[in-house]
Amino acid sequence: MPKGKPSPQQLSSRKVRAFSIDTSVIEAASFAFDRGGFRLLAAQLPPWMELWISSVVHREVQAHRMGSVDRSLEEIKSGIDSLRRHAGAAIKDVPLGWLPEARQAARAEFAKQFDKFMGSYQGSLISFDDASQMEQMFDRYFSGRPPFGGGKDKKHEFPDAAALLSLEWTAKQRDCSVIVVSKDKGWQAFSEQSECLYFVETLEELASFYTTNSTRARALQQDIAARLEDRNSQFTKAVVSNVRASFDSIVWEVVPLRCDSHDVELRVLDVVLGEVDVVPDVVGVWMTAQDERTAVVEIGIQVEAVVHISAVATSMWYSFRDRSAVSSFDLPQSVELRLAVELRGEIGTADPADLIAGSEIRSEPISVRIQSIDFGGEVGVLPKPRGGSAGFDDMNDDIPF
């Protein structure tokens, strides 16, 4: 890896774009994704830091958690069998059909927890699916290069190798660096030879690269909030200008319209930005621990926009599949976003508007929901009301079945 720790410039310029954790760290946290170090980390890291989890680690975590469930269920079954032997016919009919259901419920709950955890960090699963990665893995295996070796059975290091190679390959493809958090010496040895992986042993060490509660950070947060209260301040104007310049980067998605009588295809044609307002109460500040001349400020933004949508409805009745209706319409949307602004220079003395070195809108794809669409003519409003006899006329058929 680049020897040592990331520089302040790398930390604040988004060159270090992501972090990753291995199974040992998740196990050490007792799989507590919603409390402890994992819960605190979401507020401690800057908004552009993404979580990359190797698909190998994901499967290991699932296997370990389900292994504990299976052992517990086996103990329950064994305990009931023992009870039957001791108590005899009195409890011979105790049902055990709920055991598979309990296992399925546990798996679903674990998946729900993991998905929520990933969503907190704009998380992505990184797959090991490139032929060159496989070739590198076996080259490392036969030559004993990290993560293979270290006094262990090399065959047990294949999952680590797959995880690390996929992280390194993805970082190279995206031209960024990744901080990996692990207690495994193989991960450390691999990172020390990598061009784009940094290594730390704990979540606390990862969080220490950034600070949100220093005297300078708190002072900057208060200064920014005060300037945002004034719509005519230079900084507010600069923020609004940056939002307008970056607005096209937002992805808009239309939620499919459920309809019993027609297939409805929806598409976003265009989005026109209207009013942009800052939210002075929503201001986060991150500074690097080594250099307080750089900072990232996350600002709440309220935007009004008009989404232009096209819709095509095609009859689902087999004899009318060639009959369709087309409509287009505008849908006003009010959305709250986050703008991450990078500041560099004499923070605390210069106007922050003069220190802006870059900005980025933080937003997941925005879902647009439509309640109904009036196609006019024979189709009319979709979806059609349910119940009663109204549906018979819509079938263009005298037979109500």
Side-chain angles (χ1 to χ4, degrees), residues 324-344:
S324 62
V326 179
S327 177
S328 61
F329 53 94
D330 296 339
L331 193 66
Q333 294 286 294
S334 181
V335 181
E336 184 170 317
L337 307 171
R338 296 287 187 272
L339 182 73
V341 180
E342 183 182 346
L343 304 180
R344 289 187 192 173

Side-chain angles (χ1 to χ4, degrees), residues 116-164:
K116 183 178 180 181
F117 172 63
M118 294 290 282
S120 300
Y121 297 94
Q122 308 171 76
S124 300
L125 281 179
I126 306 299
S127 299
F128 180 76
D129 54 9
D130 183 80
S132 65
Q133 297 175 30
M134 184 68 72
E135 183 178 353
Q136 288 183 53
M137 181 167 67
F138 279 101
D139 284 346
R140 287 177 176 271
Y141 172 74
F142 287 114
S143 62
R145 294 169 57 205
F148 296 104
K152 296 182 180 180
D153 183 347
K154 290 197 297 181
K155 294 179 181 179
H156 293 164
E157 303 297 338
F158 274 105
D160 289 336
L164 289 162

Side-chain angles (χ1 to χ4, degrees), residues 186-369:
W187 280 56
Q188 181 177 8
F190 183 100
S191 299
E192 288 175 348
Q193 296 181 6
S194 172
E195 298 176 4
C196 46
L197 300 186
Y198 290 96
F199 176 86
V200 297
E201 291 188 354
T202 64
L203 296 175
E204 291 76 15
E205 189 175 357
L206 170 63
S208 72
F209 288 137
Y210 301 94
T211 177
T212 61
N213 57 4
S214 68
T215 301
R216 292 288 296 278
R218 289 194 298 270
L220 178 60
Q221 190 274 339
Q222 294 169 2
D223 181 41
I224 293 294
R227 292 174 188 273
L228 293 176
E229 291 283 357
D230 181 3
R231 290 181 57 90
N232 295 315
S233 73
Q234 289 300 112
F235 187 71
T236 300
K237 291 179 180 179
V239 167
V240 171
S241 177
N242 276 268
V243 171
R244 293 191 178 279
S246 305
F247 188 74
D248 288 344
S249 65
I250 299 173
V251 176
W252 298 77
E253 299 175 343
V254 188
V255 177
L257 187 69
R258 298 184 62 182
C259 184
D260 294 332
S261 60
H262 290 74
D263 288 321
V264 181
E265 181 182 349
L266 300 170
R267 187 161 59 96
V268 174
L269 298 176
D270 189 22
V271 181
V272 177
L273 177 60
E275 289 294 318
V276 178
D277 290 313
V278 298
V279 184
D281 293 339
V282 182
V283 178
V285 171
W286 290 265
M287 286 181 163
T288 62
Q290 304 99 319
D291 181 8
E292 293 192 337
R293 286 174 52 85
T294 61
V296 173
V297 180
E298 186 181 67
I299 300 165
I301 306 292
Q302 189 72 35
V303 302
E304 307 297 324
V306 176
V307 183
H308 302 311
I309 297 173
S310 72
V312 178
T314 305
S315 174
M316 293 175 65
W317 302 110
Y318 71 94
S319 57
F320 301 110
R321 286 192 180 276
D322 59 336
R323 301 180 61 176
S324 62
V326 179
S327 177
S328 61
F329 53 94
D330 296 339
L331 193 66
Q333 294 286 294
S334 181
V335 181
E336 184 170 317
L337 307 171
R338 296 287 187 272
L339 182 73
V341 180
E342 183 182 346
L343 304 180
R344 289 187 192 173
E346 297 299 328
I347 294 174
T349 56
D351 188 326
D354 298 327
L355 305 180
I356 296 177
S359 68
E360 178 183 65
I361 288 180
R362 251 189 103 200
S363 174
E364 297 294 320
I366 297 175
S367 296
V368 179
R369 295 185 178 275

Side-chain angles (χ1 to χ4, degrees), residues 25-80:
V25 175
I26 297 175
E27 283 189 305
S30 301
F31 306 99
F33 294 120
D34 60 347
R35 58 185 185 274
F38 284 133
R39 182 180 66 81
L40 295 174
L41 195 63
Q44 293 169 319
L45 295 181
W48 66 82
M49 283 290 281
E50 302 171 358
L51 171 60
W52 294 359
I53 293 287
S54 164
S55 58
V56 176
V57 169
H58 180 218
R59 293 183 65 177
E60 282 186 334
V61 169
Q62 284 183 311
H64 290 189
R65 299 194 82 179
M66 290 308 300
S68 298
V69 171
D70 289 339
R71 286 191 294 273
S72 297
L73 293 178
E74 191 59 36
E75 288 174 3
I76 292 172
K77 184 179 177 182
S78 177
I80 292 177

Side-chain angles (χ1 to χ4, degrees), residues 174-188:
R174 302 183 187 182
D175 190 26
C176 67
S177 297
V178 181
I179 300 174
V180 297
V181 187
S182 174
K183 299 179 180 299
D184 189 283
K185 296 301 182 183
W187 280 56
Q188 181 177 8

